[in-house]
Amino acid sequence: KAGVTQTPRYLIKTRGQQVTLSCSPISGHRSVSWYQQTPGQGLQFLFEYFSETQRNKGNFPGRFSGRQFSNSRSEMNVSTLELGDSALYLCASSLGLSSYEQYFGPGTRLTVT
Amino acid sequence: GQQVMQIPQYQHVQEGEDFTTYCNSSTTLSNIQWYKQRPGGHPVFLIQLVKSGEVKKQKRLTFQFGEAKKNSSLHITATQTTDVGTYFCAGGNTGKLIFGQGTTLQVKP
C-alpha cells in the first residue's frame, strides 16, 4: 500500500505571497491532519479533516486554512506569508480521528524569504 | 489550553547505556502515542497506550502510561546507534492529538 504523499517537497516563497500544499493520504484513510514543525516549537497541530469536514483546529491565525476533497486528498493554504511561516509542514493520515495512529508523509519544506 | 511537556529536550548517551524520556500532560488524556523521527525523516508511529497504568514492551523499548493518565515514559535498554532520533509523545484529548516537544537522543558508539 502506498504511503502518504505530499507535494511539493520543497518550496521557496516571498513574504506576502500565498502557498498551497497538497497531501494524498493512504488509500482507505479518511482523516488527514496537518502539522507545522520548526526547531523551536516542535510539532504544532494545525487542523484535522475527516470526511471533508474540519473536525479540529489548532491555534494558528486565519491565514492558515485547509480543505479535504471527496477522495480524502487534502490541501493546506497559507496566505500573506511571513518569515516565521518557514517550516516543515507535515501531513498525517489515519483510519479515524486523531485517536488512531497517524501515518506521516515526508513533508513540504517551505522557506519564506 | 492543553499542554504536553516532554523532558529532557536532549540526551547524549554512550552506546549500551539506558535512556528514558518523560511526558507530562496538564490534563487527563484518553490515550498516549509515541513516535520516532530519524534525522531528516518524518515521525513514525511506535505505539499507543490507552489504559491507566498500562505497560507495553517492544524489544528493548518499554512504554508506560501513568495511573492518572496524565504522564507517560519511554525507556530504552542498552541503546544502540540505530536508536538515534527524536522521540515524541502525543496525548489524545477531546479529539485532538497534542505533541510534546520531543527528546532528541544521540548515541555515541
Side-chain angles (χ1 to χ4, degrees), chain A residues 35 37 39-45 48 56-59 88 90 97-102 104-107, chain B residues 1 9-10 30-31 33 35 37 40-45 48 86 88 92-101:
Chain A
Y35 296 87
Q37 186 172 34
Q41 298 295 321
L43 271 166
Q44 300 288 310
F45 172 75
E48 178 180 22
N56 284 297
K57 191 177 189 305
N59 298 323
L88 180 66
L90 290 161
L97 291 172
S98 56
S99 58
Y100 287 78
E101 63 183 87
Q102 306 281 297
F104 283 84
Chain B
Q9 191 174 358
Y10 299 98
S30 56
N31 66 77
Q33 298 178 5
Y35 292 80
Q37 184 173 23
H42 56 272
V44 174
F45 176 83
Q48 175 170 271
T86 301
F88 292 95
N93 190 4
T94 62
K96 289 184 183 180
L97 200 61
I98 306 298
F99 279 78
Q101 296 291 83

mmCIF file of all heavy atoms in Angstrom, chain A residues 35 37 39-45 48 56-59 88 90 97-102 104-107, chain B residues 1 9-10 30-31 33 35 37 40-45 48 86 88 92-101:
data_model
loop_
_atom_site.group_PDB
_atom_site.id
_atom_site.type_symbol
_atom_site.label_atom_id
_atom_site.label_comp_id
_atom_site.label_asym_id
_atom_site.label_seq_id
_atom_site.Cartn_x
_atom_site.Cartn_y
_atom_site.Cartn_z
ATOM 1 N N TYR A 35 0.413 19.417 10.378
ATOM 2 C CA TYR A 35 1.256 19.886 11.459
ATOM 3 C C TYR A 35 2.347 20.788 10.895
ATOM 4 O O TYR A 35 2.821 20.585 9.776
ATOM 5 C CB TYR A 35 1.930 18.705 12.181
ATOM 6 C CG TYR A 35 0.976 17.766 12.871
ATOM 7 C CD1 TYR A 35 0.402 16.697 12.165
ATOM 8 C CD2 TYR A 35 0.654 17.929 14.209
ATOM 9 C CE1 TYR A 35 -0.472 15.827 12.790
ATOM 10 C CE2 TYR A 35 -0.225 17.061 14.840
ATOM 11 C CZ TYR A 35 -0.782 16.009 14.126
ATOM 12 O OH TYR A 35 -1.644 15.147 14.749
ATOM 13 N N GLN A 37 6.183 21.912 11.735
ATOM 14 C CA GLN A 37 7.322 21.543 12.557
ATOM 15 C C GLN A 37 8.449 22.536 12.376
ATOM 16 O O GLN A 37 8.921 22.775 11.260
ATOM 17 C CB GLN A 37 7.830 20.131 12.224
ATOM 18 C CG GLN A 37 8.935 19.662 13.163
ATOM 19 C CD GLN A 37 9.314 18.214 12.987
ATOM 20 O OE1 GLN A 37 9.290 17.671 11.881
ATOM 21 N NE2 GLN A 37 9.664 17.562 14.086
ATOM 22 N N PRO A 39 12.233 23.983 14.496
ATOM 23 C CA PRO A 39 13.191 23.581 15.539
ATOM 24 C C PRO A 39 12.814 24.108 16.918
ATOM 25 O O PRO A 39 12.971 23.436 17.907
ATOM 26 C CB PRO A 39 14.507 24.181 15.042
ATOM 27 C CG PRO A 39 14.346 24.303 13.571
ATOM 28 C CD PRO A 39 12.901 24.630 13.361
ATOM 29 N N GLY A 40 12.263 25.298 16.967
ATOM 30 C CA GLY A 40 11.985 25.877 18.267
ATOM 31 C C GLY A 40 10.651 25.475 18.870
ATOM 32 O O GLY A 40 10.492 25.445 20.084
ATOM 33 N N GLN A 41 9.684 25.139 18.045
ATOM 34 C CA GLN A 41 8.316 24.885 18.522
ATOM 35 C C GLN A 41 7.872 23.439 18.405
ATOM 36 O O GLN A 41 6.764 23.099 18.793
ATOM 37 C CB GLN A 41 7.322 25.763 17.737
ATOM 38 C CG GLN A 41 7.540 27.249 17.905
ATOM 39 C CD GLN A 41 7.290 27.694 19.321
ATOM 40 O OE1 GLN A 41 6.369 27.234 19.984
ATOM 41 N NE2 GLN A 41 8.143 28.575 19.819
ATOM 42 N N GLY A 42 8.693 22.590 17.854
ATOM 43 C CA GLY A 42 8.305 21.188 17.745
ATOM 44 C C GLY A 42 7.193 21.000 16.733
ATOM 45 O O GLY A 42 7.099 21.706 15.738
ATOM 46 N N LEU A 43 6.315 20.036 17.012
ATOM 47 C CA LEU A 43 5.191 19.713 16.117
ATOM 48 C C LEU A 43 3.944 20.435 16.603
ATOM 49 O O LEU A 43 3.410 20.117 17.648
ATOM 50 C CB LEU A 43 4.922 18.215 16.129
ATOM 51 C CG LEU A 43 5.673 17.337 15.137
ATOM 52 C CD1 LEU A 43 5.543 15.885 15.522
ATOM 53 C CD2 LEU A 43 5.132 17.535 13.737
ATOM 54 N N GLN A 44 3.473 21.372 15.814
ATOM 55 C CA GLN A 44 2.279 22.138 16.182
ATOM 56 C C GLN A 44 1.103 21.710 15.300
ATOM 57 O O GLN A 44 1.212 21.722 14.073
ATOM 58 C CB GLN A 44 2.542 23.631 16.000
ATOM 59 C CG GLN A 44 3.695 24.172 16.838
ATOM 60 C CD GLN A 44 3.349 24.262 18.300
ATOM 61 O OE1 GLN A 44 2.309 24.804 18.675
ATOM 62 N NE2 GLN A 44 4.203 23.718 19.153
ATOM 63 N N PHE A 45 -0.005 21.363 15.947
ATOM 64 C CA PHE A 45 -1.188 20.906 15.234
ATOM 65 C C PHE A 45 -1.887 22.080 14.547
ATOM 66 O O PHE A 45 -2.146 23.114 15.174
ATOM 67 C CB PHE A 45 -2.133 20.241 16.237
ATOM 68 C CG PHE A 45 -3.486 19.892 15.700
ATOM 69 C CD1 PHE A 45 -3.650 18.812 14.856
ATOM 70 C CD2 PHE A 45 -4.601 20.635 16.055
ATOM 71 C CE1 PHE A 45 -4.905 18.479 14.367
ATOM 72 C CE2 PHE A 45 -5.863 20.311 15.575
ATOM 73 C CZ PHE A 45 -6.008 19.230 14.727
ATOM 74 N N GLU A 48 -7.438 19.212 11.466
ATOM 75 C CA GLU A 48 -7.742 17.848 11.072
ATOM 76 C C GLU A 48 -9.036 17.826 10.279
ATOM 77 O O GLU A 48 -10.005 18.498 10.654
ATOM 78 C CB GLU A 48 -7.883 16.933 12.287
ATOM 79 C CG GLU A 48 -8.258 15.494 11.910
ATOM 80 C CD GLU A 48 -8.394 14.587 13.111
ATOM 81 O OE1 GLU A 48 -8.616 15.088 14.220
ATOM 82 O OE2 GLU A 48 -8.288 13.355 12.914
ATOM 83 N N ASN A 56 -11.127 19.452 13.889
ATOM 84 C CA ASN A 56 -10.370 20.102 14.948
ATOM 85 C C ASN A 56 -9.465 21.150 14.347
ATOM 86 O O ASN A 56 -9.042 21.021 13.197
ATOM 87 C CB ASN A 56 -9.514 19.087 15.723
ATOM 88 C CG ASN A 56 -10.335 18.245 16.668
ATOM 89 O OD1 ASN A 56 -10.935 18.762 17.611
ATOM 90 N ND2 ASN A 56 -10.391 16.955 16.415
ATOM 91 N N LYS A 57 -9.157 22.159 15.149
ATOM 92 C CA LYS A 57 -8.309 23.245 14.667
ATOM 93 C C LYS A 57 -7.349 23.637 15.777
ATOM 94 O O LYS A 57 -7.737 23.735 16.947
ATOM 95 C CB LYS A 57 -9.175 24.434 14.256
ATOM 96 C CG LYS A 57 -8.440 25.510 13.506
ATOM 97 C CD LYS A 57 -9.405 26.613 13.067
ATOM 98 C CE LYS A 57 -8.749 27.609 12.130
ATOM 99 N NZ LYS A 57 -7.527 28.227 12.655
ATOM 100 N N GLY A 58 -6.102 23.885 15.403
ATOM 101 C CA GLY A 58 -5.109 24.345 16.359
ATOM 102 C C GLY A 58 -5.141 25.858 16.486
ATOM 103 O O GLY A 58 -6.022 26.537 15.944
ATOM 104 N N ASN A 59 -4.171 26.394 17.199
ATOM 105 C CA ASN A 59 -4.127 27.836 17.472
ATOM 106 C C ASN A 59 -3.276 28.573 16.460
ATOM 107 O O ASN A 59 -2.225 29.118 16.802
ATOM 108 C CB ASN A 59 -3.599 28.075 18.884
ATOM 109 C CG ASN A 59 -4.502 27.479 19.935
ATOM 110 O OD1 ASN A 59 -5.726 27.499 19.804
ATOM 111 N ND2 ASN A 59 -3.905 26.926 20.971
ATOM 112 N N LEU A 88 8.744 22.981 8.254
ATOM 113 C CA LEU A 88 8.390 21.732 7.589
ATOM 114 C C LEU A 88 6.916 21.483 7.874
ATOM 115 O O LEU A 88 6.500 21.451 9.038
ATOM 116 C CB LEU A 88 9.231 20.581 8.127
ATOM 117 C CG LEU A 88 8.970 19.192 7.529
ATOM 118 C CD1 LEU A 88 9.376 19.160 6.061
ATOM 119 C CD2 LEU A 88 9.706 18.117 8.326
ATOM 120 N N LEU A 90 3.939 18.971 7.774
ATOM 121 C CA LEU A 90 3.706 17.528 7.713
ATOM 122 C C LEU A 90 2.220 17.237 7.655
ATOM 123 O O LEU A 90 1.422 17.850 8.373
ATOM 124 C CB LEU A 90 4.302 16.852 8.947
ATOM 125 C CG LEU A 90 5.825 16.824 9.034
ATOM 126 C CD1 LEU A 90 6.267 16.571 10.463
ATOM 127 C CD2 LEU A 90 6.393 15.756 8.118
ATOM 128 N N LEU A 97 -10.443 9.390 13.466
ATOM 129 C CA LEU A 97 -9.978 10.656 14.010
ATOM 130 C C LEU A 97 -8.665 10.442 14.752
ATOM 131 O O LEU A 97 -8.166 9.328 14.846
ATOM 132 C CB LEU A 97 -11.065 11.266 14.906
ATOM 133 C CG LEU A 97 -12.293 11.743 14.137
ATOM 134 C CD1 LEU A 97 -13.409 12.165 15.070
ATOM 135 C CD2 LEU A 97 -11.923 12.880 13.193
ATOM 136 N N SER A 98 -8.117 11.513 15.292
ATOM 137 C CA SER A 98 -6.723 11.508 15.725
ATOM 138 C C SER A 98 -6.390 10.534 16.851
ATOM 139 O O SER A 98 -5.242 10.397 17.218
ATOM 140 C CB SER A 98 -6.293 12.925 16.125
ATOM 141 O OG SER A 98 -7.159 13.415 17.114
ATOM 142 N N SER A 99 -7.361 9.836 17.400
ATOM 143 C CA SER A 99 -7.036 8.833 18.403
ATOM 144 C C SER A 99 -6.400 7.596 17.770
ATOM 145 O O SER A 99 -5.865 6.752 18.468
ATOM 146 C CB SER A 99 -8.291 8.430 19.174
ATOM 147 O OG SER A 99 -9.267 7.925 18.287
ATOM 148 N N TYR A 100 -6.475 7.501 16.462
ATOM 149 C CA TYR A 100 -5.836 6.411 15.750
ATOM 150 C C TYR A 100 -4.394 6.782 15.438
ATOM 151 O O TYR A 100 -4.041 7.949 15.398
ATOM 152 C CB TYR A 100 -6.560 6.131 14.436
ATOM 153 C CG TYR A 100 -7.901 5.462 14.595
ATOM 154 C CD1 TYR A 100 -9.014 6.190 14.978
ATOM 155 C CD2 TYR A 100 -8.067 4.105 14.346
ATOM 156 C CE1 TYR A 100 -10.247 5.587 15.124
ATOM 157 C CE2 TYR A 100 -9.296 3.492 14.487
ATOM 158 C CZ TYR A 100 -10.381 4.250 14.878
ATOM 159 O OH TYR A 100 -11.595 3.651 15.013
ATOM 160 N N GLU A 101 -3.573 5.769 15.164
ATOM 161 C CA GLU A 101 -2.189 6.061 14.836
ATOM 162 C C GLU A 101 -2.118 6.873 13.554
ATOM 163 O O GLU A 101 -2.908 6.675 12.627
ATOM 164 C CB GLU A 101 -1.385 4.765 14.701
ATOM 165 C CG GLU A 101 -1.824 3.850 13.587
ATOM 166 C CD GLU A 101 -1.019 2.570 13.594
ATOM 167 O OE1 GLU A 101 -1.396 1.631 14.308
ATOM 168 O OE2 GLU A 101 0.003 2.512 12.867
ATOM 169 N N GLN A 102 -1.190 7.811 13.555
ATOM 170 C CA GLN A 102 -1.002 8.724 12.447
ATOM 171 C C GLN A 102 0.129 8.223 11.548
ATOM 172 O O GLN A 102 1.189 7.854 12.024
ATOM 173 C CB GLN A 102 -0.624 10.109 12.973
ATOM 174 C CG GLN A 102 -1.591 10.679 14.003
ATOM 175 C CD GLN A 102 -2.824 11.249 13.370
ATOM 176 O OE1 GLN A 102 -2.765 12.203 12.608
ATOM 177 N NE2 GLN A 102 -3.972 10.653 13.688
ATOM 178 N N PHE A 104 2.577 9.590 8.812
ATOM 179 C CA PHE A 104 3.057 10.876 8.321
ATOM 180 C C PHE A 104 3.637 10.761 6.912
ATOM 181 O O PHE A 104 4.240 9.750 6.544
ATOM 182 C CB PHE A 104 4.137 11.435 9.242
ATOM 183 C CG PHE A 104 3.593 12.038 10.502
ATOM 184 C CD1 PHE A 104 3.304 11.248 11.595
ATOM 185 C CD2 PHE A 104 3.355 13.405 10.587
ATOM 186 C CE1 PHE A 104 2.793 11.792 12.762
ATOM 187 C CE2 PHE A 104 2.852 13.967 11.752
ATOM 188 C CZ PHE A 104 2.567 13.166 12.838
ATOM 189 N N GLY A 105 3.459 11.839 6.157
ATOM 190 C CA GLY A 105 4.125 11.973 4.874
ATOM 191 C C GLY A 105 5.514 12.551 5.070
ATOM 192 O O GLY A 105 5.895 12.897 6.186
ATOM 193 N N PRO A 106 6.276 12.694 3.983
ATOM 194 C CA PRO A 106 7.653 13.196 4.091
ATOM 195 C C PRO A 106 7.741 14.687 4.373
ATOM 196 O O PRO A 106 8.795 15.177 4.768
ATOM 197 C CB PRO A 106 8.249 12.882 2.714
ATOM 198 C CG PRO A 106 7.075 12.857 1.808
ATOM 199 C CD PRO A 106 5.925 12.333 2.609
ATOM 200 N N GLY A 107 6.629 15.397 4.196
ATOM 201 C CA GLY A 107 6.618 16.817 4.495
ATOM 202 C C GLY A 107 6.941 17.705 3.303
ATOM 203 O O GLY A 107 7.519 17.268 2.309
ATOM 204 N N GLY B 1 -4.657 26.394 27.457
ATOM 205 C CA GLY B 1 -5.026 25.205 26.719
ATOM 206 C C GLY B 1 -4.204 24.002 27.147
ATOM 207 O O GLY B 1 -3.269 24.107 27.941
ATOM 208 N N GLN B 9 15.010 17.603 26.808
ATOM 209 C CA GLN B 9 14.943 18.020 25.412
ATOM 210 C C GLN B 9 16.000 17.280 24.593
ATOM 211 O O GLN B 9 15.771 16.926 23.445
ATOM 212 C CB GLN B 9 15.161 19.526 25.317
ATOM 213 C CG GLN B 9 14.838 20.088 23.946
ATOM 214 C CD GLN B 9 14.908 21.607 23.905
ATOM 215 O OE1 GLN B 9 15.160 22.249 24.930
ATOM 216 N NE2 GLN B 9 14.697 22.189 22.746
ATOM 217 N N TYR B 10 17.171 17.087 25.200
ATOM 218 C CA TYR B 10 18.271 16.381 24.540
ATOM 219 C C TYR B 10 18.879 15.386 25.513
ATOM 220 O O TYR B 10 18.884 15.606 26.728
ATOM 221 C CB TYR B 10 19.372 17.357 24.087
ATOM 222 C CG TYR B 10 18.929 18.383 23.098
ATOM 223 C CD1 TYR B 10 18.586 19.667 23.516
ATOM 224 C CD2 TYR B 10 18.849 18.088 21.748
ATOM 225 C CE1 TYR B 10 18.175 20.624 22.606
ATOM 226 C CE2 TYR B 10 18.437 19.043 20.831
ATOM 227 C CZ TYR B 10 18.095 20.311 21.265
ATOM 228 O OH TYR B 10 17.679 21.247 20.356
ATOM 229 N N SER B 30 -6.965 10.684 26.998
ATOM 230 C CA SER B 30 -7.701 9.480 26.635
ATOM 231 C C SER B 30 -6.733 8.404 26.136
ATOM 232 O O SER B 30 -6.999 7.205 26.267
ATOM 233 C CB SER B 30 -8.740 9.795 25.558
ATOM 234 O OG SER B 30 -8.107 10.381 24.434
ATOM 235 N N ASN B 31 -5.636 8.835 25.561
ATOM 236 C CA ASN B 31 -4.623 7.881 25.104
ATOM 237 C C ASN B 31 -3.303 8.620 24.929
ATOM 238 O O ASN B 31 -3.277 9.855 24.915
ATOM 239 C CB ASN B 31 -5.025 7.231 23.781
ATOM 240 C CG ASN B 31 -5.080 8.222 22.629
ATOM 241 O OD1 ASN B 31 -4.063 8.621 22.084
ATOM 242 N ND2 ASN B 31 -6.275 8.634 22.258
ATOM 243 N N GLN B 33 0.307 8.385 22.498
ATOM 244 C CA GLN B 33 1.011 7.730 21.403
ATOM 245 C C GLN B 33 2.475 8.155 21.446
ATOM 246 O O GLN B 33 2.798 9.242 21.912
ATOM 247 C CB GLN B 33 0.401 8.130 20.050
ATOM 248 C CG GLN B 33 -1.059 7.723 19.894
ATOM 249 C CD GLN B 33 -1.661 8.172 18.581
ATOM 250 O OE1 GLN B 33 -0.979 8.724 17.707
ATOM 251 N NE2 GLN B 33 -2.952 7.934 18.420
ATOM 252 N N TYR B 35 6.033 8.399 18.965
ATOM 253 C CA TYR B 35 6.562 8.420 17.609
ATOM 254 C C TYR B 35 8.073 8.604 17.652
ATOM 255 O O TYR B 35 8.610 9.207 18.586
ATOM 256 C CB TYR B 35 5.950 9.581 16.809
ATOM 257 C CG TYR B 35 4.483 9.418 16.525
ATOM 258 C CD1 TYR B 35 3.524 9.715 17.496
ATOM 259 C CD2 TYR B 35 4.038 8.966 15.285
ATOM 260 C CE1 TYR B 35 2.173 9.560 17.233
ATOM 261 C CE2 TYR B 35 2.687 8.811 15.015
ATOM 262 C CZ TYR B 35 1.764 9.109 15.993
ATOM 263 O OH TYR B 35 0.426 8.958 15.734
ATOM 264 N N GLN B 37 11.269 10.025 15.137
ATOM 265 C CA GLN B 37 11.639 10.719 13.916
ATOM 266 C C GLN B 37 13.161 10.642 13.769
ATOM 267 O O GLN B 37 13.896 11.218 14.565
ATOM 268 C CB GLN B 37 11.173 12.174 13.949
ATOM 269 C CG GLN B 37 11.424 12.948 12.667
ATOM 270 C CD GLN B 37 10.794 14.341 12.703
ATOM 271 O OE1 GLN B 37 10.539 14.902 13.768
ATOM 272 N NE2 GLN B 37 10.531 14.916 11.542
ATOM 273 N N GLY B 40 16.263 13.977 9.461
ATOM 274 C CA GLY B 40 15.883 14.144 8.069
ATOM 275 C C GLY B 40 14.642 13.387 7.659
ATOM 276 O O GLY B 40 14.231 13.448 6.492
ATOM 277 N N GLY B 41 14.029 12.691 8.591
ATOM 278 C CA GLY B 41 12.852 11.885 8.263
ATOM 279 C C GLY B 41 11.573 12.466 8.835
ATOM 280 O O GLY B 41 11.537 13.614 9.271
ATOM 281 N N HIS B 42 10.532 11.674 8.811
ATOM 282 C CA HIS B 42 9.257 12.102 9.355
ATOM 283 C C HIS B 42 8.900 11.209 10.532
ATOM 284 O O HIS B 42 9.435 10.101 10.661
ATOM 285 C CB HIS B 42 8.170 12.043 8.281
ATOM 286 C CG HIS B 42 8.028 10.697 7.640
ATOM 287 N ND1 HIS B 42 8.759 10.317 6.541
ATOM 288 C CD2 HIS B 42 7.249 9.635 7.972
ATOM 289 C CE1 HIS B 42 8.422 9.092 6.198
ATOM 290 N NE2 HIS B 42 7.517 8.654 7.042
ATOM 291 N N PRO B 43 7.993 11.664 11.401
ATOM 292 C CA PRO B 43 7.628 10.849 12.561
ATOM 293 C C PRO B 43 7.007 9.521 12.136
ATOM 294 O O PRO B 43 6.193 9.468 11.218
ATOM 295 C CB PRO B 43 6.615 11.721 13.305
ATOM 296 C CG PRO B 43 6.914 13.114 12.863
ATOM 297 C CD PRO B 43 7.348 12.989 11.436
ATOM 298 N N VAL B 44 7.394 8.468 12.845
ATOM 299 C CA VAL B 44 6.863 7.128 12.594
ATOM 300 C C VAL B 44 6.247 6.611 13.877
ATOM 301 O O VAL B 44 6.869 6.669 14.943
ATOM 302 C CB VAL B 44 7.972 6.170 12.110
ATOM 303 C CG1 VAL B 44 7.439 4.748 11.998
ATOM 304 C CG2 VAL B 44 8.538 6.632 10.776
ATOM 305 N N PHE B 45 5.032 6.125 13.782
ATOM 306 C CA PHE B 45 4.288 5.626 14.936
ATOM 307 C C PHE B 45 5.004 4.440 15.562
ATOM 308 O O PHE B 45 5.448 3.520 14.876
ATOM 309 C CB PHE B 45 2.888 5.220 14.478
ATOM 310 C CG PHE B 45 2.039 4.594 15.550
ATOM 311 C CD1 PHE B 45 1.345 5.386 16.451
ATOM 312 C CD2 PHE B 45 1.922 3.210 15.644
ATOM 313 C CE1 PHE B 45 0.543 4.803 17.425
ATOM 314 C CE2 PHE B 45 1.138 2.628 16.623
ATOM 315 C CZ PHE B 45 0.441 3.429 17.508
ATOM 316 N N GLN B 48 0.676 2.885 20.955
ATOM 317 C CA GLN B 48 -0.379 3.648 21.616
ATOM 318 C C GLN B 48 -0.741 2.961 22.924
ATOM 319 O O GLN B 48 -0.872 1.737 22.981
ATOM 320 C CB GLN B 48 -1.623 3.763 20.724
ATOM 321 C CG GLN B 48 -2.789 4.457 21.430
ATOM 322 C CD GLN B 48 -3.926 4.803 20.508
ATOM 323 O OE1 GLN B 48 -3.956 5.883 19.914
ATOM 324 N NE2 GLN B 48 -4.883 3.902 20.380
ATOM 325 N N THR B 86 14.604 11.626 17.284
ATOM 326 C CA THR B 86 13.784 12.380 18.226
ATOM 327 C C THR B 86 12.535 11.589 18.537
ATOM 328 O O THR B 86 11.845 11.127 17.618
ATOM 329 C CB THR B 86 13.417 13.759 17.648
ATOM 330 O OG1 THR B 86 14.612 14.483 17.375
ATOM 331 C CG2 THR B 86 12.567 14.552 18.630
ATOM 332 N N PHE B 88 8.869 11.521 20.176
ATOM 333 C CA PHE B 88 7.748 12.387 20.534
ATOM 334 C C PHE B 88 6.654 11.574 21.223
ATOM 335 O O PHE B 88 6.313 10.481 20.782
ATOM 336 C CB PHE B 88 7.109 13.007 19.285
ATOM 337 C CG PHE B 88 7.956 13.998 18.559
ATOM 338 C CD1 PHE B 88 8.727 13.607 17.475
ATOM 339 C CD2 PHE B 88 7.955 15.334 18.941
ATOM 340 C CE1 PHE B 88 9.506 14.527 16.785
ATOM 341 C CE2 PHE B 88 8.730 16.259 18.252
ATOM 342 C CZ PHE B 88 9.505 15.853 17.178
ATOM 343 N N GLY B 92 -3.764 12.325 23.453
ATOM 344 C CA GLY B 92 -5.077 12.490 22.856
ATOM 345 C C GLY B 92 -6.083 12.971 23.890
ATOM 346 O O GLY B 92 -6.169 12.424 24.990
ATOM 347 N N ASN B 93 -6.820 14.023 23.530
ATOM 348 C CA ASN B 93 -7.837 14.569 24.428
ATOM 349 C C ASN B 93 -8.805 15.409 23.607
ATOM 350 O O ASN B 93 -8.369 16.200 22.782
ATOM 351 C CB ASN B 93 -7.187 15.429 25.519
ATOM 352 C CG ASN B 93 -8.163 15.804 26.606
ATOM 353 O OD1 ASN B 93 -9.319 15.376 26.598
ATOM 354 N ND2 ASN B 93 -7.712 16.590 27.548
ATOM 355 N N THR B 94 -10.096 15.244 23.874
ATOM 356 C CA THR B 94 -11.145 15.991 23.154
ATOM 357 C C THR B 94 -10.935 15.962 21.652
ATOM 358 O O THR B 94 -11.133 16.965 20.960
ATOM 359 C CB THR B 94 -11.233 17.457 23.638
ATOM 360 O OG1 THR B 94 -9.990 18.129 23.383
ATOM 361 C CG2 THR B 94 -11.545 17.515 25.107
ATOM 362 N N GLY B 95 -10.533 14.838 21.138
ATOM 363 C CA GLY B 95 -10.388 14.662 19.697
ATOM 364 C C GLY B 95 -9.110 15.212 19.106
ATOM 365 O O GLY B 95 -8.852 15.043 17.924
ATOM 366 N N LYS B 96 -8.303 15.897 19.915
ATOM 367 C CA LYS B 96 -7.051 16.449 19.394
ATOM 368 C C LYS B 96 -5.883 15.599 19.849
ATOM 369 O O LYS B 96 -5.924 14.948 20.890
ATOM 370 C CB LYS B 96 -6.839 17.876 19.909
ATOM 371 C CG LYS B 96 -7.756 18.908 19.334
ATOM 372 C CD LYS B 96 -7.376 20.296 19.861
ATOM 373 C CE LYS B 96 -8.323 21.347 19.349
ATOM 374 N NZ LYS B 96 -7.957 22.695 19.853
ATOM 375 N N LEU B 97 -4.834 15.620 19.050
ATOM 376 C CA LEU B 97 -3.591 14.948 19.413
ATOM 377 C C LEU B 97 -2.543 16.035 19.592
ATOM 378 O O LEU B 97 -2.195 16.731 18.637
ATOM 379 C CB LEU B 97 -3.191 13.981 18.296
ATOM 380 C CG LEU B 97 -2.216 12.859 18.640
ATOM 381 C CD1 LEU B 97 -2.800 11.960 19.712
ATOM 382 C CD2 LEU B 97 -1.912 12.051 17.399
ATOM 383 N N ILE B 98 -2.077 16.213 20.828
ATOM 384 C CA ILE B 98 -1.117 17.266 21.124
ATOM 385 C C ILE B 98 0.256 16.636 21.325
ATOM 386 O O ILE B 98 0.422 15.785 22.203
ATOM 387 C CB ILE B 98 -1.514 18.051 22.389
ATOM 388 C CG1 ILE B 98 -2.949 18.567 22.259
ATOM 389 C CG2 ILE B 98 -0.536 19.200 22.626
ATOM 390 C CD1 ILE B 98 -3.187 19.525 21.114
ATOM 391 N N PHE B 99 1.211 17.083 20.530
ATOM 392 C CA PHE B 99 2.553 16.530 20.600
ATOM 393 C C PHE B 99 3.405 17.252 21.635
ATOM 394 O O PHE B 99 3.312 18.478 21.800
ATOM 395 C CB PHE B 99 3.238 16.626 19.237
ATOM 396 C CG PHE B 99 2.846 15.540 18.284
ATOM 397 C CD1 PHE B 99 1.638 15.589 17.612
ATOM 398 C CD2 PHE B 99 3.682 14.457 18.062
ATOM 399 C CE1 PHE B 99 1.254 14.580 16.744
ATOM 400 C CE2 PHE B 99 3.318 13.445 17.193
ATOM 401 C CZ PHE B 99 2.104 13.506 16.534
ATOM 402 N N GLY B 100 4.240 16.492 22.296
ATOM 403 C CA GLY B 100 5.267 17.082 23.138
ATOM 404 C C GLY B 100 6.379 17.641 22.265
ATOM 405 O O GLY B 100 6.382 17.450 21.044
ATOM 406 N N GLN B 101 7.323 18.329 22.896
ATOM 407 C CA GLN B 101 8.410 18.976 22.143
ATOM 408 C C GLN B 101 9.420 17.964 21.607
ATOM 409 O O GLN B 101 10.213 18.294 20.734
ATOM 410 C CB GLN B 101 9.133 19.978 23.033
ATOM 411 C CG GLN B 101 8.276 21.137 23.494
ATOM 412 C CD GLN B 101 7.911 22.063 22.362
ATOM 413 O OE1 GLN B 101 6.961 21.815 21.616
ATOM 414 N NE2 GLN B 101 8.644 23.138 22.208
#
